[in-house]
Amino acid sequence: MNELSQNIRRIALVAVWGFLLMALVFGYWQMVRAPALRAHPYNQQAQQRANSIKPGLIYTGDGELVLGIEKDNEGWQRTYPAGPIYCHLTGYNENTGLQKGLREALLGIGAYQNRWGAVGHTEQGLDVVLTIDSKAQRRATKLMEGRRGAVVALDPRNGAILAMVSAPGYDPARVMESQMNYEMFTNHPASPELNRALQGLYPPGTVLQIFVAAAGLDTGVATEQTVFNCSGTGQIAGITVNCSKLGGHGRLTLSRALADSCNIAFAELAQLIGPEQFGSYAKKFHLLDKPDLPLPTGQGKIADLIGDDAETELIEAAIGQGATLVTPVAMARLAATIASGGQVIQPYLVDRITRQGGKTVTDNRGGRLRAAIRQETAQQVAGMMQVSVEEGSASNVALSVCRVAAQTGWAQNPEGKPHSWALGFAPVDAPQAAVAVIVENTVPGRPAAGPIARQILEVLVSCQ
Amino acid sequence: MEIGLLLTIGKYLFVALLYVFIAVVFRTLILHIATAQRPVAQHGGQPAQRPVIERDSGQSPPEPSQPKLEAKEAAAEPPQVARLLVVETSAANLSAGTSFPLSKSISIGRKSHNDLSLDDRYVSATHTLIVQQDNSFILRDYHSTNGTVYNGVRIQDDVALSDGDEITIGTTTFRYQH
Amino acid sequence: MVIVAAATGKPLGWAMRGLTPAGVLLVAVVLMDLVEARRDRLLLPLCGMLCVLSIVFLTRTDAFLATRQLIAIIIGIFLMVALYFLIEDIRSLARFKYLAGLSAIALLAATMLWGREINGARLWLSIPHLVTFQSGEVAKILMAIFLAGYAADYRQMLGRRGRGRISIQTPSLRSLAPLLLIVISCLAIFVGQHDLGTAILFFGLFVTMFYLATGQPAYGIAAVALFAVGLALAYQLFPQVGVRISSWLNPWADPSGIGYQPLQAMFCLGEGGILGAGLGHLSVTNLPAAAPDMILVVIGQDLGLVGSVGVVIIYALISVRSYSLAWQATDRFASLLAAALATVFALQTLIIMGGVLRLIPLTGMTTPFLSYGGTSIVINFLAVGLLLAVSRDCVPQPEKAR
């Protein structure tokens, strides 16, 4: 009987452990997972409740209403007071744009609901204030009118996105007005729904020379004064590289090569850097990363720098062609990295989330990631970009009041006319804004992106 | 709003009552288990020895499993006097190995008026009588709650004791020696 | 004043209804005390508390079912008292062990052959024009009686570690044969009834009793391994048993079909959070089979984590109390019977909770004393009646604890 008693006690202990486990798992679902479950799209009760919540509004950083609401007999409906200006930010229904990306905040559910779960559920959503500057956004939208392409402007000091425009845009209020509108919208050949600023993948062309120059200077394989020889066309690592200038630039320094967008000089520089270092700098610059934004973003690509054809691919990457594809936001980030003395910034779009009435719930201050290059390197590259504006191909970005650093260029488009790029920031000494502009399918020789970049910088920068 | 508030209060009241109830039951249960486990602790971790009642088996009563030390002590006693040897106990005022001479009828129980009082929650106020008849002793249960167990069987009627018989009262087991 | 009355009217009404089983139970206790007060004093209050919760939350889910449940509870309490007095001495129950065992097997076999299938599991047996009941519930008590009686008598045959000479043996055929029989019969239940819950319940009971009788955990572990392999094989061989399992493994794959119930349960638990959404505050119409399968989820939603953990504690207390009766009992059969009943109770609760919480596939078994089901209520009260008889006849009671 002793043994039996002991064994029964052991079994009882097992049962107690079992119940303890159950209590813990209840805790897991009701405490740890509760916020996610309450906001889950399959959760019908939450969905029904969400319909009765008065959703929050979205404002720009300077207070313009981007996404509004009005009540009709079916409940709360969204309004778009600014028409097409912010279309790629707001989206056109609750499953697109920030209405999807910030759903939990706008409804005050999920992570924004208290996890104690008490009587009296959320009745009001939260308001969102974006980092967008309405003047820059409006100017960019106007400048891109009738074109295809994208504009992204960042504050290089913290990564705040000041303007983000994709052209062509659309009027979000009209998309869902009728079935016909919706079908025309989705089948439009220019794909207005696509947010080119974040999702568009473009060959970077000659603007990638900024990156190649920074990598070359930082590794020490070249200096600003290193001399290259451009004969207009050349065989490098088995592929033919053509320079934009027929007949070539002759002998020229690296600094001059950037100002003149000389492909041959940069192909040679890339060879000096080597595929391994080239790839590692692409990582350090977060050139291909998807930024962490509440909107769909595209993933950049770079040529295969490890395989047998690494050398060949490297040359193609260095001149920004071939398999290399980048998003406009990544290029804006590249400009911002040079502007901030080599510090990579993390772009962000939401400045703060507040209760309807004003009290701030979460406050975003942006973040700087690790430095990609040394500060001196960044300053050298900035200097070269300044030369590019003052004496080179990017002269159309120059501002009268401020000193600007910029690079413009072309990217060959295998499917049609080349794209026009411009990257830049200003003022050079204490940058306040960095911008990337791409205009698709422009006529070669007629600058498109440069003047747009200039006018956006003009709005964003104040120089005394 | 008012309804919501009342519902909230109702919910918390409900949960509070639930936990008060749990606390009360928990306390009682711990008390039950603790008293039942006390013998284990006193025997230095050895399993508690409880009498086995063999039913329907016709087998012999459980074999004596007496510790050696007590056997020696018992052997040293004069054999002709009837004695009650404490084999196992968790009564606070008693320890195993003690023995009591039997010279007359005695009463055993929890209260102090008994000839042999056992400080044990499982023992009734007056639990058992051991009655002298001529030269022998008779075991008689005195309407106790938990009964008097004789060689593993709870007795209903009087039983005559003979040498080696085991008597369990509450948590205490005596061996009758004559 | 009127507004307040109207507002509190519903919950107050639930509370009043909820107190009915408590009242009936109190009458039963007084009745039992009139004859003799010497028995366990903890099990009935605990079970009563579960019945109160059951009635409150069933009324809140489906008032009609709550009324039927109330009737079942009253019948259950009545039968429990009757059984308690009918058994003069719990030890005499050992005589009926073979009858109990055979009836249990007959019931299970009949269910496999003629049982009614509901939600992919064949759990119900129907005697035309008379009664429909969950046969597994009845069989589990009969099986507990049989196993306790068998293990109490034939411990030698089961290869018990004897004294001295024959102590540690290599596993003999005689001790392995019953284990193999156990594994096979439980797998048969699983395949025949398409119900993992009942199979695990009986298997767990068998292995526990085998361990208690022999004191050798090694065989039990081997049996668990065998059983797991058998389950995996059965899952491969019989596609019809896989429905609940695939809804368990990946409910998101078919959120409006087989994954619907588990997902809705998760959502309701999430709604409850830590402190609960409030008694009856949110609807549970989205939750399929809330009354029989998911009453724990309803409690979790209304009372939150504090409420569901409270319920878990009550179940743990009932289990521990039952086991403590088992280890305190002075009779081998009574001890084993109490242990078997405690195991059935604890295991069934754990299986249901595990199913609700997605640790194991959801099964069609009931949560003892809590979920809607007449058979379950009556049988669980009868089990408590047996435990009370064990405590009355074989467990020493502290004098002052009254």
Side-chain angles (χ1 to χ4, degrees), chain A residues 77-320:
Chain A
Q77 303 296 333
R78 284 299 187 182
T79 62
Y80 307 90
I85 308 262
Y86 303 98
C87 57
H88 290 103
L89 290 164
T90 58
Y92 53 85
N93 64 16
E94 68 269 21
N95 291 321
T96 54
L98 290 176
Q99 293 184 64
K100 184 184 185 200
L102 297 174
R103 178 175 177 270
E104 292 191 7
L106 290 170
L107 293 173
I109 58 173
Y112 297 91
Q113 192 176 5
N114 79 39
R115 53 177 58 200
W116 294 92
V119 172
H121 274 275
T122 319
E123 285 162 8
Q124 283 200 334
L126 302 172
D127 289 347
V128 176
V129 178
L130 301 178
T131 53
I132 297 290
D133 179 293
S134 67
K135 291 191 294 296
Q137 180 81 9
R138 281 176 181 275
R139 176 67 70 88
T141 310
K142 193 155 194 319
L143 290 168
M144 292 302 288
E145 221 163 67
R147 296 183 157 106
R148 293 185 192 177
V151 174
V152 178
L154 296 172
D155 186 333
R157 291 166 293 192
N158 53 19
I161 296 177
L162 301 171
M164 195 183 83
V165 171
S166 170
Y170 57 90
D171 186 348
R174 305 201 53 187
V175 171
M176 302 303 278
E177 258 177 7
S178 67
Q179 181 70 21
M180 200 179 74
N181 276 12
Y182 180 71
E183 270 169 25
M184 271 172 61
F185 171 68
T186 48
N187 297 327
H188 195 284
S191 330
E193 191 177 359
L194 180 73
N195 182 1
R196 289 166 160 82
L198 297 182
Q199 294 172 289
L201 290 170
Y202 298 100
T206 51
V207 286
L208 199 68
Q209 290 172 358
I210 294 172
F211 163 74
V212 183
L217 292 172
D218 206 53
T219 48
V221 298
T223 67
E224 288 166 89
Q225 302 312 319
T226 304
V227 176
F228 298 91
N229 193 3
C230 168
S231 56
T233 179
Q235 283 286 120
I236 302 167
I239 56 167
T240 310
V241 179
N242 290 316
C243 191
S244 53
K245 187 178 178 186
L246 284 170
H249 296 95
R251 288 171 64 82
L252 78 176
T253 60
L254 180 59
S255 178
R256 197 64 235 166
L258 188 78
D260 291 341
S261 303
C262 175
N263 268 342
I264 292 185
F266 279 94
E268 283 172 3
L269 177 58
Q271 256 192 328
L272 294 175
I273 296 167
E276 210 167 289
Q277 286 286 0
F278 194 92
S280 111
Y281 273 93
K283 272 208 186 72
K284 283 186 189 167
F285 270 91
H286 295 262
L287 205 58
L288 309 174
D289 285 11
K290 297 169 81 161
D292 183 23
L293 293 171
L295 288 170
T297 48
Q299 166 85 58
K301 291 189 196 82
I302 197 163
D304 177 17
L305 294 173
I306 300 165
D308 296 339
D309 296 335
E311 287 281 315
T312 317
E313 302 257 351
L314 171 66
I315 303 306
E316 287 206 320
I319 60 173

Side-chain angles (χ1 to χ4, degrees), chain B residues 110-130:
Chain B
R110 199 181 66 249
K111 291 283 170 66
S112 57
H113 63 74
N114 294 293
D115 299 301
L116 178 51
S117 77
L118 303 174
D119 188 1
D120 179 351
R121 290 179 46 192
Y122 291 92
V123 173
S124 300
T126 299
H127 198 109
T128 308
L129 302 179
I130 295 181

Side-chain angles (χ1 to χ4, degrees), chain B residues 151-168:
Chain B
N151 284 342
V153 182
R154 187 173 171 173
I155 58 168
Q156 306 295 335
D157 306 311
D158 290 0
V159 175
L161 291 171
S162 55
D163 188 32
D165 283 350
E166 290 206 343
I167 304 158
T168 303

Side-chain angles (χ1 to χ4, degrees), chain A residues 154-157 159 330-345 368 424-425 431 433-435:
Chain A
L154 296 172
D155 186 333
R157 291 166 293 192
M331 286 291 101
R333 202 177 185 183
L334 171 62
T337 306
I338 303 296
S340 67
Q343 301 279 340
V344 180
I345 47 86
R368 289 187 160 201
F425 59 89
V435 66

